[in-house]
């Protein structure tokens, strides 16, 4: 179940079929090493997947740089990565939904399915969640790819799921004008999702011109360049509201700073919603009361739930095209892994960095 | 329409006594003076006021530089908005009410033309004309003129004072609706003042199985216990104590915290609320303390704890009246002090209300 282990723990336990299974292990700060990765035995409901495409997420970079991400701390060597797709190589005895040779996208998190949150369908909030690349779980839930959806697009289902889940929680539809704070990978997948959910007008905001240009190419109705200076708040809110023409119904803060959240709260109309997607700061200083007194609700999101089928359908039908987000590609070698993480950490014109295995 | 005005020179009503009202003339300056009523429109009624309660916002206007949030009193204004009375005259198109009817008044007249009004969220109407929110005159007066559709008939077993209580009770009812309170919602309430207490009563009426209420004041906590709180927790004003207080709250609840109402609205109460509420739950910000708040928003958002805002109420009077009629809610214990309508008593009443402590709801009887 995604556990497996370091080959130093077990004596001479190699796979029967030829090559050893290798993985990218996070051994310490900025120390990634391709080393053997022993797979656990195949349970009756498990599949063995040959991974073909893996994207790098901001949280992977955060683990890489600091050995922690929010309250997740990496205490032992851990295989990195969770945005992935591959080809089924073996299926467990009870598996009925996929066969060997199937191309699949993987949903990373294994929830307990016993607690009240799981039983209520809110499994993304399960406290016993075992999630790829979140300590202590090494990098499930295999969803079959339609023929016209590539393995790279399959790997993109994971970040896209964040945007989809956010749009659901904020109830985006044909009558919701959407404002998105932050034009990074998450802001962009949120924009693609919002459009697919029918949002009539989408405005994106960022400090970086390059990223705003990408947003415009991907279909933003309007982009606004903003600063990191809190003094500019009121002026920027006015510019945003002018750009939207009509009222801002839903705002997504895909960054998560005081300024972006304050802008979102002030720019959103009475009775609207602000969805906090970006998890940057813990304590935030925001104008909460005036927003609450206009019944602007704040909706939080954590990862996603039940999103893969919808993501795959959007990709299959072409309603969403994630391919432009994949800006850099690397192969699975020690040198490429180090370069890939540096590229992703750099940001700028690097949106999604993808490994092809 | 609640406008009316100050009489400058000997302009008296046709029928004997002049209509008097409590005017806010300046900071700490309330004066009973004549109040000229506007003409009665076809859909209006003229109401003889009988019971008027004092709200925290009324006190705020009086004490704090004539302002409350972004509302500023620029000219003399009649105070008061929690009220009930007896119909004295009805406009020609009014069919639902007759003189002699006992009614509770919903204070706010919305425009019915804007998008928000048309969607039913009329409480958010930007052109709302609301008793005692400047520049609209309030209802601490002998008489007011008001739209008939905002006057709700009281059943025989509901008193005029209880009618006046419908206004603060409406805040609690609206908050419970916005937070989806039901038989599966364990509720935490920050603050055992008048608003925390009406929220407690409303939550119980909506079926909340467990309600824990917190405050810094022992007396108010004892009132909450008498009103049926399952658990009470005394807390401090010190932010360092948040983590420990969250532990005590969870112990008192003995179960998940599904919904928390912050009826105080400070950094600390909101931080406690966000930290104490279980994953997937809601925090409803009712109290309006500070504008900018410093709170642990992200950890809460990452547990999908939503923050729901509340502004006044909408379509709550019929439900409030029914809950009072059936006895499902009893607001009478909240009325702790009563005063008559004289200059001296008006001043004393506001001092009493401003003092807080053992004063929960201060009521005028006219």
């Amino acid at each position: 179940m995604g556990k497996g282990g370091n080959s130093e723990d077990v004596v001479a336990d190699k796979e029967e079929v030829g090559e050893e299974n290798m993985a990218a292990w996070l051994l310490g700060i900025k120390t990634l090493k391709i080393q053997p990765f022993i797979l656990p035995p195949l349970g009756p409901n498990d599949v063995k997947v040959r991974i073909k495409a893996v994207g790098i997420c901001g949280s992977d970079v955060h683990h890489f740089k600091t050995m922690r991400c929010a309250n997740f701390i990496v205490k032992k060597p851990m295989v990195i990565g969770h945005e992935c797709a591959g080809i089924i190589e073996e299926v467990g005895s009870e598996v009925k939904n996929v066969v060997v040779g199937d191309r699949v996208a993987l949903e990373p998190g294994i929830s307990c399915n016993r607690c009240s949150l799981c039983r209520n369908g809110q499994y993304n909030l399960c406290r016993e969640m075992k999630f790829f690349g979140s300590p202590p779980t090494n990098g499930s839930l295999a969803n079959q790819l339609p023929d016209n959806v590539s393995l790279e697009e399959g790997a993109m289902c994971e970040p896209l799921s964040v945007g989809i889940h956010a749009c659901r929680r904020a109830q985006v539809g044909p009558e919701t004008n959407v404002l998105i704070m932050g034009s990074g990978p998450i802001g962009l997948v949120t924009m693609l999702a919002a459009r697919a959910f029918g949002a009539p007008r989408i405005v994106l905001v960022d400090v970086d011109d390059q990223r705003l240009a990408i947003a415009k190419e991907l279909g933003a109705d309007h982009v606004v360049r903003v600063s990191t200076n809190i003094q500019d708040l009121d002026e920027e809110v006015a510019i945003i509201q002018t750009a939207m023409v009509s009222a801002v119904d839903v705002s997504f803060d895909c960054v998560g700073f005081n300024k972006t959240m304050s802008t979102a709260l002030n720019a959103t109309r009475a009775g609207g919603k602000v969805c906090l997607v970006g998890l940057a700061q813990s304590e935030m200083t925001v104008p909460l009361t005036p927003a609450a007194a206009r019944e602007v609700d704040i909706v939080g999101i954590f990862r996603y739930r039940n999103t893969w089928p919808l993501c795959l359908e959007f990709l299959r039908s072409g309603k969403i095209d994630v391919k432009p987000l994949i800006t850099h590609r690397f192969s699975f070698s020690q040198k490429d892994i180090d370069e890939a993480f540096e590229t992703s950490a750099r940001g700028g014109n690097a949106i999604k960095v993808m490994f092809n295995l | 329409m609640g406008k009316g005005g100050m009489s400058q020179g000997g302009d008296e009503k046709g029928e004997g006594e002049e209509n008097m009202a409590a005017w806010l003339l300046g900071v700490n300056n309330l004066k009973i003076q004549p109040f000229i009523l506007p003409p009665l429109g076809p859909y209006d009624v003229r109401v003889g006021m009988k019971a008027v309660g004092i709200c925290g916002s009324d006190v705020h206007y009086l004490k704090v530089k004539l302002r409350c949030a972004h509302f500023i009193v620029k000219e003399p204004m009649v105070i008061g908005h929690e009220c009930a009375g007896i119909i004295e005259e009805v406009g020609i198109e009014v069919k639902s009410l007759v003189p002699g009817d006992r009614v509770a008044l919903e204070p706010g007249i919305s425009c019915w033309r804007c998008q928000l009004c048309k969607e039913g969220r009329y409480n958010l109407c930007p052109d709302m004309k609301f008793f005692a929110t400047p520049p609209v005159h309030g209802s601490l007066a002998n008489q007011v003129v008001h739209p008939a559709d905002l006057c709700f008939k009281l059943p025989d077993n509901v008193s005029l004072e209880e009618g006046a209580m419908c206004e603060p009770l409406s805040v609690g009812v609206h908050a419970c609706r916005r937070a989806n309170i039901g038989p599966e919602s364990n509720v935490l309430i920050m603050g055992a003042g008048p608003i925390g207490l009406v929220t407690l009563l409303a939550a119980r009426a909506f079926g909340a199985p467990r309600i824990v209420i917190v405050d810094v004041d022992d007396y108010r906590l004892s009132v909450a216990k008498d009103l049926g709180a399952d658990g009470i927790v005394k807390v401090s004003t010190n932010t360092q104590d948040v983590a420990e207080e969250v532990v005590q709250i969870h112990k008192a609840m003995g179960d998940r915290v599904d919904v928390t109402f912050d009826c105080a609205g400070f950094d600390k109460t909101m931080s406690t609320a966000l930290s104490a509420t279980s994953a997937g739950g809601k925090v409803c910000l009712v109290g309006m303390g500070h504008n900018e708040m410093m709170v642990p928003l992200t950890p809460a958002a990452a547990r999908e704890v939503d923050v729901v805002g509340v502004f006044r109420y909408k379509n709550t009077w019929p439900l409030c009246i029914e809950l009072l009629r059936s006895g499902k809610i009893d607001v009478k214990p909240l009325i702790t002090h009563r005063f008559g309508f004289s200059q001296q008593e008006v001043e004393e009443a506001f001092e009493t209300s401003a003092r807080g402590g053992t004063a929960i709801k201060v009521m005028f009887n006219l």
Side-chain angles (χ1 to χ4, degrees):
Chain A
M1 305 230 189
K3 283 257 165 80
N6 198 316
S7 70
E8 273 140 38
D9 299 336
V10 182
V11 176
D13 196 25
K14 280 169 105 126
E15 280 184 36
E16 284 163 29
V17 193
E19 298 160 28
E20 202 171 7
N21 187 38
M22 304 296 274
W25 289 84
L26 182 64
L27 299 178
I29 289 182
K30 296 198 179 167
T31 310
L32 273 173
K33 201 137 176 252
I34 295 185
Q35 288 181 167
F37 175 36
I38 298 179
L39 295 175
L42 198 73
N45 286 298
D46 293 339
V47 292
K48 183 152 51 100
V49 183
R50 174 161 297 275
I51 299 294
K52 295 306 268 174
V54 183
I56 299 181
C57 170
S59 64
D60 297 317
V61 173
H62 215 83
H63 282 123
F64 172 69
K65 282 181 165 177
T66 65
M67 288 291 273
R68 68 182 298 161
C69 192
N71 40 27
F72 297 112
I73 305 175
V74 188
K75 294 182 183 144
K76 303 187 317 190
M78 177 187 84
V79 174
I80 202 115
H82 60 271
E83 304 183 355
C84 55
I87 302 178
I88 303 280
E89 290 207 333
E90 199 185 335
V91 300
S93 53
E94 299 288 337
V95 173
K96 294 171 180 49
N97 66 323
V98 287
V99 297
V100 173
D102 278 347
R103 294 151 64 251
V104 291
L106 275 66
E107 178 172 348
I110 302 168
S111 40
C112 81
N113 295 330
R114 273 190 272 290
C115 68
S116 60
L117 284 161
C118 282
R119 289 160 70 94
N120 213 27
Q122 295 172 295
Y123 68 82
N124 55 316
L125 304 174
C126 175
R127 302 175 86 148
E128 308 290 319
M129 171 73 82
K130 298 187 192 336
F131 196 93
F132 276 154
S134 251
T137 312
N138 294 316
S140 103
L141 292 130
N143 297 269
Q144 200 175 0
L145 298 178
D147 290 339
N148 68 333
V149 175
S150 69
L151 286 153
E152 284 189 340
E153 290 173 282
M156 288 299 290
C157 284
E158 201 278 346
L160 181 58
S161 283
V162 174
I164 299 275
H165 181 57
C167 285
R168 274 181 183 157
R169 288 221 78 226
Q171 293 173 290
V172 173
E175 297 177 283
T176 35
N177 291 323
V178 166
L179 167 65
I180 300 177
M181 311 299 297
S183 187
I186 292 299
L188 294 172
V189 291
T190 302
M191 176 176 73
L192 296 176
R195 191 68 84 195
F197 273 62
R201 217 170 156 70
I202 305 178
V203 171
L204 260 97
V205 158
D206 201 287
V207 298
D208 181 320
D209 278 318
Q210 228 173 9
R211 291 194 154 189
L212 287 175
I214 296 170
K216 202 82 178 62
E217 273 169 42
L218 288 178
D221 292 287
H222 209 98
V223 295
V224 178
R225 168 109 180 263
V226 293
S227 74
T228 50
N229 189 344
I230 194 88
Q231 318 280 31
D232 297 333
L233 182 63
D234 289 340
E235 202 200 308
E236 286 170 4
V237 167
I239 296 173
I240 286 165
Q241 288 172 331
T242 307
M244 192 63 86
V245 180
S246 192
V248 175
D249 299 295
V250 172
S251 294
F252 292 96
D253 183 359
C254 296
V255 182
F257 291 127
N258 287 343
K259 185 170 183 225
T260 52
M261 199 56 187
S262 300
T263 310
L265 286 168
N266 289 3
T268 304
R269 70 157 173 88
K273 288 179 170 50
V274 172
C275 187
L276 180 52
V277 186
L279 304 174
Q281 294 173 220
S282 201
E283 284 266 326
M284 298 182 81
T285 303
V286 286
L288 200 56
T289 303
R294 295 182 305 114
E295 297 193 356
V296 173
D297 298 339
I298 299 176
V299 172
I301 71 146
F302 187 64
R303 295 179 180 146
Y304 34 70
R305 51 177 180 258
N306 299 313
T307 47
W308 259 254
L310 181 56
C311 286
L312 290 171
E313 175 51 28
F314 277 142
L315 295 173
R316 183 202 69 73
S317 69
K319 245 187 156 189
I320 290 183
D321 179 12
V322 286
K323 296 190 285 294
L325 296 184
I326 305 170
T327 52
H328 294 76
R329 290 172 170 80
F330 291 88
S331 67
F332 190 50
S333 71
Q334 184 63 48
K335 174 154 115 51
D336 270 20
I337 289 199
D338 292 331
E339 206 183 319
F341 270 77
E342 287 306 317
T343 305
S344 183
R346 210 183 59 217
N349 66 351
I351 305 292
K352 182 58 64 182
V353 174
M354 185 72 65
F355 286 107
N356 290 121
L357 293 83
Chain B
M1 317 270 153
K3 285 256 163 78
M6 202 183 264
S7 77
Q8 297 301 325
D11 193 25
E12 291 185 24
K13 280 169 47 204
E15 299 149 21
E17 293 166 25
E18 208 170 5
N19 184 39
M20 305 297 277
W23 289 83
L24 180 64
L25 298 178
V27 173
N28 284 320
N29 188 356
L30 270 177
K31 200 132 178 257
I32 294 185
Q33 289 181 165
F35 176 37
I36 299 178
L37 295 174
L40 196 73
Y43 294 96
D44 293 337
V45 293
R46 184 157 50 89
V47 183
M49 269 315 138
K50 289 297 178 194
V52 182
I54 299 180
C55 171
S57 63
D58 298 317
V59 172
H60 211 84
Y61 282 120
L62 175 67
K63 297 262 162 207
V64 187
K65 296 195 233 208
L66 303 182
R67 68 183 300 161
C68 190
H70 52 269
F71 299 113
I72 306 174
V73 186
K74 294 181 181 141
E75 306 173 342
M77 178 186 84
V78 174
I79 202 99
H81 60 271
E82 305 181 359
C83 55
I86 301 179
I87 303 282
E88 296 202 342
E89 194 185 345
V90 302
I92 46 176
E93 297 287 348
V94 175
K95 297 172 180 43
S96 53
L97 296 167
V98 296
D101 280 346
R102 294 156 63 251
V103 291
L105 275 65
E106 178 173 349
I109 304 167
S110 40
C111 81
W112 295 113
R113 277 186 215 86
C114 69
Q115 194 62 35
L116 285 160
C117 279
K118 288 185 179 185
E119 283 175 18
R121 296 188 81 167
Y122 67 82
N123 55 316
L124 303 174
C125 175
D127 290 321
M128 171 71 84
K129 299 188 189 339
F130 196 95
F131 277 153
T133 291
V136 180
H137 293 304
S139 57
L140 182 49
N142 292 126
Q143 303 189 4
V144 298
V145 168
H146 205 52
D149 61 278
L150 292 171
C151 297
F152 297 86
K153 212 162 142 183
L154 295 174
D156 292 338
N157 69 331
V158 176
S159 69
L160 287 153
E161 283 189 342
E162 289 173 281
M165 289 298 291
C166 284
E167 201 276 348
L169 180 58
S170 284
V171 174
V173 166
H174 180 60
C176 285
R177 275 180 181 157
R178 289 221 81 225
N180 281 353
I181 300 300
E184 298 176 285
S185 334
N186 290 329
V187 166
L188 167 65
I189 301 176
M190 313 297 298
I195 292 299
L197 295 174
V198 291
T199 303
L200 162 64
L201 296 175
R204 189 66 81 196
F206 273 63
R210 289 186 84 73
I211 306 175
V212 168
I213 192 160
V214 312
D215 201 286
V216 298
D217 181 313
D218 280 314
Y219 175 74
R220 289 188 158 193
L221 285 173
S222 70
V223 173
K225 201 84 178 54
D226 288 341
L227 288 176
D230 295 288
I232 52 173
V233 178
K234 179 146 178 219
V235 293
S236 74
T237 51
N238 190 343
T239 320
Q240 320 278 32
D241 296 334
V242 170
E244 204 210 299
E245 286 170 4
V246 168
V247 170
Q248 286 178 44
I249 286 165
H250 285 155
K251 250 166 107 180
M253 190 68 84
D255 198 352
R256 296 171 46 87
V257 176
D258 297 296
V259 175
T260 302
F261 294 97
D262 183 359
C263 298
F266 295 118
D267 285 4
K268 186 177 180 220
T269 51
M270 202 55 190
S271 299
T272 311
L274 288 167
S275 305
T277 305
S278 304
K282 287 179 171 48
V283 172
C284 188
L285 180 51
V286 187
M288 303 201 211
H290 297 136
N291 233 22
E292 286 262 325
M293 298 182 81
M294 187 164 95
V295 287
L297 199 57
T298 304
R303 295 182 305 111
E304 295 192 357
V305 172
D306 299 340
V307 176
V308 172
V310 158
F311 187 64
R312 295 178 180 146
Y313 34 70
K314 59 183 198 268
N315 297 314
T316 47
W317 259 254
L319 179 57
C320 285
I321 290 172
E322 174 52 27
L323 291 168
L324 294 173
R325 183 203 69 74
S326 67
K328 245 189 154 185
I329 287 185
D330 180 12
V331 287
K332 296 191 285 295
L334 296 184
I335 306 170
T336 51
H337 295 76
R338 290 173 171 81
F339 293 87
F341 189 50
S342 71
Q343 181 64 40
Q344 199 212 344
E345 286 183 278
V346 164
E347 288 171 14
E348 206 186 317
F350 272 82
E351 287 307 316
T352 305
S353 183
R355 213 182 57 216
T358 56
I360 309 286
K361 182 58 64 180
V362 174
M363 185 75 64
F364 287 105
N365 289 120
L366 294 85

